């Protein structure tokens, strides 16, 4: 697969990028070593290394000390109202929309889950109609991975009066359909949701958990789910690298 003429590092990066997107190097696989790529492209190792830096800055790959360079490109997942339908969340015994979305890409969803009773942040307490400064909420925190690649950080908050002593306290991916299905089974089906979406730099903790450069941007979603009587029963925050998500919405115009 030698290349005619001399290639610059940006051209090398472009060719590797195309091969990653086409699936020549699938997500969660290891790229050939730099000397191998240098021979393939007729380039010096230093040029290949510069190409790797470009791809790493884009979030396409991630070097791992002593373990090679991992392909972290995942086709962007669509974030739209349709993902919250029960059919999507529970299809194929999925444990929520993320499970279904990742399996559709041919990858394996993984969940790292902790739960605890907490004093919620003021914005969460206000959204749930809870008094500020009191231990009155349960939070279910999740680091979500696709075939070992960290993709999202989720935290779902519920009034303790609803969640205490229920399946929502279980620290494992045990809920078919995710937290919305669990709330529906508890007698709190949601009929309405709102979302605030911003793009921002990650915190140091988020960058570490998502294994991304602090210079990258993340999408931050603040989701509030309400029942038919307008009671807010769930606040879920989502933080994900911006290149992993496409946001699509529709709304009436007057």
């Amino acid at each position: 697969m030698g290349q005619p003429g001399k290639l610059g590092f940006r051209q090398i990066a472009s060719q590797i990028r195309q091969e990653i997107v086409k699936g020549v190097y699938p997500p969660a696989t290891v790229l050939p070593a730099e000397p191998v790529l240098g021979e393939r492209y007729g380039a010096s190792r230093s040029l290949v290394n510069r190409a790797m830096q470009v791809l790493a800055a884009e979030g396409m790959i991630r070097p791992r000390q002593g373990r090679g360079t991992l392909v972290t490109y995942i086709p962007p997942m669509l974030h739209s109202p349709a993902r919250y339908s029960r059919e999507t969340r529970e299809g194929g015994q999925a444990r929520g929309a993320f499970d279904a979305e990742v399996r559709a890409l041919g990858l394996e969803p993984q969940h790292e889950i902790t739960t605890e009773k907490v004093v919620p942040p003021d914005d969460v307490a206000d959204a749930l109609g809870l008094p500020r400064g009191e231990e009155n909420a349960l939070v279910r925190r999740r680091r979500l991975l696709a075939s070992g690649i960290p993709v999202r950080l989720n935290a779902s908050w519920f009034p303790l009066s609803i969640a205490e002593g229920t399946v929502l306290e279980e620290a494992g991916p045990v809920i078919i359909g995710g937290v919305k299905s669990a709330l529906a089974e508890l007698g709190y089906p949601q009929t309405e949701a709102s979302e605030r979406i911003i793009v921002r730099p990650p915190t140091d903790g988020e960058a570490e958990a998502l294994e991304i450069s602090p210079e990258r941007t993340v999408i931050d979603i603040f989701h509030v789910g309400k029942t038919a009587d307008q009671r807010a029963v769930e606040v879920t925050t989502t933080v994900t690298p911006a290149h992993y998500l496409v946001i699509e919405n529709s709304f009436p115009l007057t």
Side-chain angles (χ1 to χ4, degrees), residues 207-221:
E208 182 178 359
L210 291 167
E211 299 178 5
I212 59 173
S213 164
E215 284 74 37
R216 296 207 58 79
T217 56
V218 294
I219 292 176
D220 182 332
I221 303 173

Side-chain angles (χ1 to χ4, degrees), residues 31-104:
L31 281 179
E34 290 183 3
V36 174
L37 291 172
E39 183 176 350
R40 178 173 297 176
Y41 294 109
S44 67
R45 183 169 179 176
S46 63
L47 278 180
V48 172
N49 183 262
R50 291 183 70 185
M52 295 293 101
Q53 292 176 31
V54 170
L55 295 172
E58 296 173 356
M60 302 288 289
I61 60 173
R62 181 171 68 249
R64 302 179 302 174
Q65 188 66 35
R67 299 170 61 192
T69 300
L70 185 74
V71 176
T72 53
Y73 168 78
I74 296 174
M77 288 178 271
L78 180 64
H79 184 87
S80 72
R83 76 183 300 272
Y84 295 113
S85 71
R86 189 156 196 161
E87 180 182 6
T88 297
R89 299 192 323 267
E90 298 182 359
Q93 297 294 290
R95 287 163 172 78
F98 177 82
D99 256 35
E101 292 161 347
V102 169
R103 291 188 191 281

Side-chain angles (χ1 to χ4, degrees), residues 153-167:
L153 303 177
N154 277 11
S156 293
W157 313 76
F158 318 99
L160 199 55
S161 59
I162 290 176
E164 189 171 21
T166 73
V167 68

Side-chain angles (χ1 to χ4, degrees), residues 19-210:
E19 292 186 324
I20 289 173
V21 171
K22 289 178 180 177
V24 176
Y25 305 120
T29 61
V30 177
L31 281 179
E34 290 183 3
V36 174
L37 291 172
E39 183 176 350
R40 178 173 297 176
Y41 294 109
S44 67
R45 183 169 179 176
S46 63
L47 278 180
V48 172
N49 183 262
R50 291 183 70 185
M52 295 293 101
Q53 292 176 31
V54 170
L55 295 172
E58 296 173 356
M60 302 288 289
I61 60 173
R62 181 171 68 249
R64 302 179 302 174
Q65 188 66 35
R67 299 170 61 192
T69 300
L70 185 74
V71 176
T72 53
Y73 168 78
I74 296 174
M77 288 178 271
L78 180 64
H79 184 87
S80 72
R83 76 183 300 272
Y84 295 113
S85 71
R86 189 156 196 161
E87 180 182 6
T88 297
R89 299 192 323 267
E90 298 182 359
Q93 297 294 290
R95 287 163 172 78
F98 177 82
D99 256 35
E101 292 161 347
V102 169
R103 291 188 191 281
L105 295 175
L107 303 174
E108 182 64 28
Q110 298 157 299
H111 309 245
E112 297 174 357
I113 300 175
T114 61
T115 67
E116 62 178 323
K117 300 170 186 176
V118 294
V119 176
D122 287 349
D123 58 347
V124 172
D126 292 347
L128 290 173
L130 299 173
R132 292 184 175 187
E134 298 181 13
E135 186 180 287
N136 51 22
L138 176 79
V139 61
R140 185 176 178 86
R141 292 190 174 93
R142 307 182 293 288
R143 188 171 83 130
L144 303 176
L145 304 92
S147 294
I149 301 170
V151 176
R152 291 184 192 168
L153 303 177
N154 277 11
S156 293
W157 313 76
F158 318 99
L160 199 55
S161 59
I162 290 176
E164 189 171 21
T166 73
V167 68
L168 293 169
E169 283 196 283
E170 295 190 29
V174 297
I175 305 172
I176 302 299
V179 299
K180 291 192 182 300
S181 293
L183 285 165
E185 292 296 322
L186 292 171
Y188 301 95
Q190 297 176 36
T191 61
E192 179 183 325
S194 63
E195 291 185 339
R196 181 195 68 209
I197 301 172
I198 62 173
V199 178
R200 60 171 175 79
T203 65
D204 289 344
E206 290 166 347
E208 182 178 359
L210 291 167

Side-chain angles (χ1 to χ4, degrees), residues 3-23:
Q3 302 297 318
K6 294 291 185 179
L7 298 178
F9 72 93
R10 295 190 186 279
Q11 292 170 298
I12 296 170
S14 176
Q15 294 199 22
I16 296 174
R17 185 188 302 111
Q18 291 176 37
E19 292 186 324
I20 289 173
V21 171
K22 289 178 180 177

